[in-house]
Amino acid sequence: MGSGAGKSGWAERRPVLFPFLLSLFCLALSEQIHYRIPEEMPEGSVVGNLAKDLRLSVHELPTRKLRVSSEKPYFTVSAESGELLVSSRLDREQICGKKSACALEFEVVAENPLNFYHVNVEIEDVNDHTPKFSQNSFELQISESTPPGTRFILEVAEDADIGLNSLQTYKLSLSPSFSLINKEKQDGSKFPELVLEKPLDREQQSYHRLVLTASDGGDPPLSGTIELQIQVTDANDNPPVFTQDVYRVNLGENVPPGTTVLQVSATDQDEGVNSEIAYSFYRSGQVFGLNSKSGEITTLKTLDFEEIKEYSIVVEGRDGGGLVAQCTVEISIQDENDNRPDITFHSLVEMILENAVPGTLIALIKIHDRDSGENGEVNCRLEGEVPFQIISSSKNSYKLVTAGTLDREQIPEYNVTIVATDKGKPPLCTHTSVTLHITDVNDNAPVFHQASYVVHVAENNPPGASIEQVRASDPDLGPNGHVSYSIVASDLEPRALSSYVSVNPQSGVVFAQRAFDHEQLRAFELTLQARDHGSPALSSNVSLRVLVGDRNDNAPRVLYPALGHDGSALFDTVPRAAQPGYLVTKVVAVDADSGHNAWLSYHVLQASEPGLFSVGLRTGEVRTARALGDRDAARQRLLVAVRDGGQPPLSATATLLLVFADSLQEALPDLSDRPSPSDPQAELQFYLVVALALISVLFLLAVILAVALHLRRSSSPAAWGCFKPGLCVKSGPVVPPNYSEGTLPYSYNLCVAHTGKTEFNFLKCSEQLSSGQDILCGDSSGALFPLCNSSESTSHPETLMAVSSI
């Protein structure tokens, strides 16, 4: 018994179990859960513990989300206990009518994983309807000449219940003149016939009132009554007689109104008015019409097999004398294929993972055709080529499942059309379309647009500059397609990597973190990774090779000739008899750059004797261009420039000291005349002495000028005559200068002395001044002023010294 039986005493569970199938499939979808409950159970009543019958624990209920999938909400599932509850009124007569068996079939859907289970609830009849007559009284006219044993069909009661609860017997109140016979039709329904037991006498009793009681077989039984009012009429010897007691006819549904069903016929052996028969329905109806003269029955409206399948009509034939005969017309409505199948989706999963395996349940489909027989049998299929299929689950229930591999990147959604076709003639079909969206799964790794990257970067680039941008695409959606970039490997030292390059994780732009130096690092390789944000994340790698290009940022460096320890240039000897083309030496230089920037050329910038030597443009070889002449100095100085091929070019110079001598001993005297390098400390001391002397002279002149001004104010003007302009006179004739020898007025002997680091050159006057020559006083232009002296002057030789620093 189900749990509902504990509350109402009626519910009974009958699970149909198949142990072998259960051992294989743990509750197959084809298993049906059966319950039996009485009708008219109050709302909220428990039908059964559905979760327990499905072997689900209470803890699973929140995730499984059991729910009922049916067209009408008669039942619901408790989310807390998993019990199947009554949710609306269960009236068996309204649901199933006169059917002997009444059952409600529906599916219970469970999620996570998605599945459905068939449930059958049988509704048992309860004696809740009383047999009822359509009217309170029934009038019947019987001629007094009617012989005993004549039977009359009486009013039939209706009871909506079935089985024992339906109408079972009719009883007639006690009467000496009448009795009652219970008769049964082919469909099992019962109807009463009144039997005349003895002749009637209108003159003795013209009216008879009897009570007809209809009772069902319920416990306790219910009953309904009707009053029979029998009028005894004057003699009409022959009642009408129908040609058939029961007329049966099959009539197709959907015939138009006014269609003739059949024609009943009755005869009366009387004559005159007593033989005229008028036809009428025992009960008036709104479905069929009856011609009272001809007995022809026609339809008044369209018939529908799905609403009423059979009609039972009682037709009376009454003659002019009041005698009545009855016949029964049974009309069976024939089904026609006039209803298209209805397609209903239950638990449709519109978002499907693209990695769903074949056989994944997408939707539960219920197909209902109101027609019967072959007209109600339906085939279901999918239209077109789609990776799905329809699988029959049970009668009129189907499952839509995946049948192939799905790929959202190729087809993001499918418009699936389901076609349901019945087996009628002609068949009717229904098309229903549903859009199924494929949900993205991180099944695609990022793909770089290039198999590898090579980038050329010129050295001395600005730090922070972009050198390349790598791009990778991921066809997935959302985080599954969002790509970030990183450096995962390099041939650089791990610690130094971050100081060389970096990559923007969003854009893939690679930045130089420092200025590259071609001379230190000519190339390096990075391994970049593009990684999506899926779970789990997918990634791919690509190599990026950075080639550092050369720039002309290094001047040539002279390796030979090298400078001495004190920074002076070394010398090379050249034989005096060297012929033109003689290899004197070779200037050797290198350039740290590469390519054209390191392509060196050699040029003569300065030479003591132009044309005496030549330098190879590319080799740097110094050769004699001609033989040494008598006028050529023995010591030659050659300045050679070394230029690279960059733009702009950079250069360096090399100084060559070449001495023409046949031996080293012969070259040493020439080398001794080389001026010694100046001592910076001695030069500084010299400049300080000169500055001090100048300051002393200026001070002395200021003192003399002050004394002179003082004496001028205190003495006679005659004492200052010679100091006045134009008053200085010569004491003797002036000796005119002699310019016959050189550009100076006197001849000097130049003497050069090497003392330490400083050279002193002395100029010695070679002629004597005449006694009367002025050497200090001069005119206003700054020439030599004549010296004002006494009347006689003594001539004496003077020595002039000039000091110069070379």
Side-chain angles (χ1 to χ4, degrees), residues 295-407:
E296 184 181 54
I297 300 175
T298 58
T299 59
L300 298 179
K301 65 177 184 180
T302 303
L303 306 178
D304 191 351
F305 172 83
E306 287 71 36
E307 292 182 0
I308 301 176
K309 297 179 175 57
E310 291 182 352
Y311 294 90
S312 181
I313 306 172
V314 178
V315 179
E316 291 184 342
R318 188 183 297 272
D319 60 16
L323 294 180
V324 177
Q326 292 181 337
C327 70
T328 301
V329 178
E330 295 183 353
I331 303 174
S332 177
I333 306 302
Q334 301 298 309
D335 181 49
E336 293 183 3
N337 192 25
D338 59 343
N339 291 281
R340 294 180 181 273
D342 293 327
I343 302 175
T344 305
F345 287 93
H346 297 283
S347 303
L348 176 63
V349 180
E350 295 184 356
M351 305 299 292
I352 308 168
L353 294 176
E354 62 176 324
N355 63 347
V357 298
T360 300
L361 182 63
I362 304 302
L364 306 177
I365 303 173
K366 190 78 173 181
I367 300 179
H368 177 66
D369 195 322
R370 298 179 60 194
D371 295 324
S372 300
E374 289 188 350
N375 297 330
E377 295 180 7
V378 180
N379 290 325
C380 188
R381 62 179 178 85
L382 294 179
E383 192 174 66
E385 293 294 332
V386 291
F388 303 97
Q389 65 177 348
I390 291 289
I391 299 177
S392 178
S393 174
S394 62
K395 182 180 180 182
N396 297 330
S397 293
Y398 298 88
K399 292 188 296 184
L400 177 62
V401 299
T402 58
T405 303
L406 305 177
D407 190 350

Side-chain angles (χ1 to χ4, degrees), residues 494-514:
R495 295 181 179 179
L497 176 61
S498 59
S499 65
Y500 275 89
V501 289
S502 65
V503 62
N504 187 304
Q506 306 300 326
S507 63
V509 176
V510 181
F511 296 95
Q513 297 297 104
R514 63 188 298 179

Side-chain angles (χ1 to χ4, degrees), residues 204-226:
Q204 291 182 1
Q205 187 177 357
S206 59
Y207 273 90
H208 295 267
R209 284 182 168 82
L210 303 176
V211 175
L212 179 63
T213 302
S215 301
D216 60 24
D219 185 14
L222 301 178
S223 61
T225 60
I226 188 175

